[in-house]
Amino acid sequence: MNRRDLFKQIVSLAAVAAMSSRAFAQKALQAGKDFRVINPARPTESGDRIEVLEFFSYGCPHCHELEPVLEAWLKQLPKDVQFRRIPITFNRDAWTVLAKMYLTYELMGETERMSMLTFSAIHNDRVNLEDEATRNAWLQKNSVNVAKFNENFRSFSVASKLQRATQVAASYQIQGVPTLAVDGKYMTAPSMTNSLEGTLAVVNQLIARARSERGRK
């Protein structure tokens, strides 16, 4: 899939998402059905801001489906909210490679540009990014400095970030992806809401709840 077609796909899905999300936002949330309460609450790393975490993998088809909806949502993220992605491996060798790719993009400041391209390469174009030679050729084609990428990919920094991501996922007892957590207190997922767009509408309501709990309007 070329970049023009990818952009058209993102715009189309985002438009559908916006309509579905507005409809879902009117629904009263039910704990245990639309979301679950995390007890005890987990510590956050966002300071005064409300933390939203997405547990994901580039190898997950549902994460791929969520990505254009999520990208549109992120463009309207309130200033008092901090969003972070936590790559999941589930001890799979293939997903470990993909988690390290994401963390390498982070170090290189390439996540915004490369994430949707990576999803599309895996799920639309069937590129085997687990294979180093194939990955290097694909990265070069997409104007990534391959030598710098591989230096970071093999670095202690990425290994440490991966270890930390694994610890965070374990503390939240993540069983599937995509899963989103709000302020260390609430968790939701498309498997609970039966809708990718509805999941983000639930997240919006949980952000509002967390804001109220912090004594803000």
Side-chain angles (χ1 to χ4, degrees):
M1 179 178 288
N2 62 42
R3 294 191 184 192
R4 177 175 293 180
D5 289 341
L6 181 59
F7 177 75
K8 288 180 179 178
Q9 180 191 50
I10 291 171
V11 171
S12 176
L13 288 172
V16 172
M19 290 186 290
S20 299
S21 183
R22 282 194 293 270
F24 201 98
Q26 306 304 316
K27 176 183 175 181
L29 299 188
Q30 298 181 48
K33 184 175 184 291
D34 301 309
F35 72 99
R36 71 176 180 86
V37 177
I38 301 170
N39 189 17
R42 303 297 186 262
T44 62
E45 300 179 12
S46 54
D48 291 336
R49 291 195 284 175
I50 296 165
E51 181 179 79
V52 176
L53 303 179
E54 182 207 11
F55 296 92
F56 87 107
S57 171
Y58 285 136
C60 164
H62 302 299
C63 299
H64 172 224
E65 292 169 3
L66 178 63
E67 185 64 14
V69 182
L70 186 63
E71 285 194 359
W73 179 80
L74 286 172
K75 290 177 181 177
Q76 302 177 26
L77 197 68
K79 292 182 180 179
D80 66 338
V81 178
Q82 178 176 305
F83 175 82
R84 291 195 298 127
R85 299 179 197 260
I86 308 294
I88 289 286
T89 71
F90 291 133
N91 294 318
R92 302 178 189 177
D93 291 342
W95 281 26
T96 297
V97 171
L98 298 176
K100 290 178 67 177
M101 286 188 70
Y102 172 77
L103 295 170
T104 300
Y105 292 154
E106 263 196 338
L107 282 180
M108 297 178 68
E110 289 277 26
T111 53
E112 184 175 350
R113 186 174 76 88
M114 293 302 298
S115 278
M116 195 63 215
L117 289 173
T118 304
F119 274 122
S120 183
I122 295 167
H123 298 283
N124 295 334
D125 301 330
R126 307 300 178 187
V127 179
N128 180 14
L129 295 179
E130 302 154 37
D131 176 74
E132 184 174 356
T134 302
R135 183 171 65 246
N136 286 345
W138 180 82
L139 289 167
Q140 186 170 28
K141 179 181 176 182
N142 285 282
S143 303
V144 175
N145 184 321
V146 175
K148 188 67 175 176
F149 178 93
N150 285 322
E151 178 185 344
N152 284 308
F153 185 85
R154 299 184 178 95
S155 69
F156 175 77
S157 180
V158 163
S160 297
K161 285 177 177 290
L162 181 59
Q163 183 179 30
R164 176 57 182 158
T166 301
Q167 290 170 346
V168 173
S171 75
Y172 277 86
Q173 300 180 346
I174 299 301
Q175 301 297 315
V177 289
T179 295
L180 291 107
V182 178
D183 222 24
K185 297 178 179 179
Y186 309 109
M187 187 178 295
T188 190
S191 59
M192 300 181 73
T193 64
N194 297 315
S195 164
L196 296 173
E197 301 81 15
T199 299
L200 293 179
V202 169
V203 169
N204 286 338
Q205 292 193 53
L206 293 175
I207 288 171
R209 182 175 298 200
R211 188 178 289 124
S212 177
E213 291 167 349
R214 287 174 174 238
R216 302 174 187 170
K217 295 182 179 181

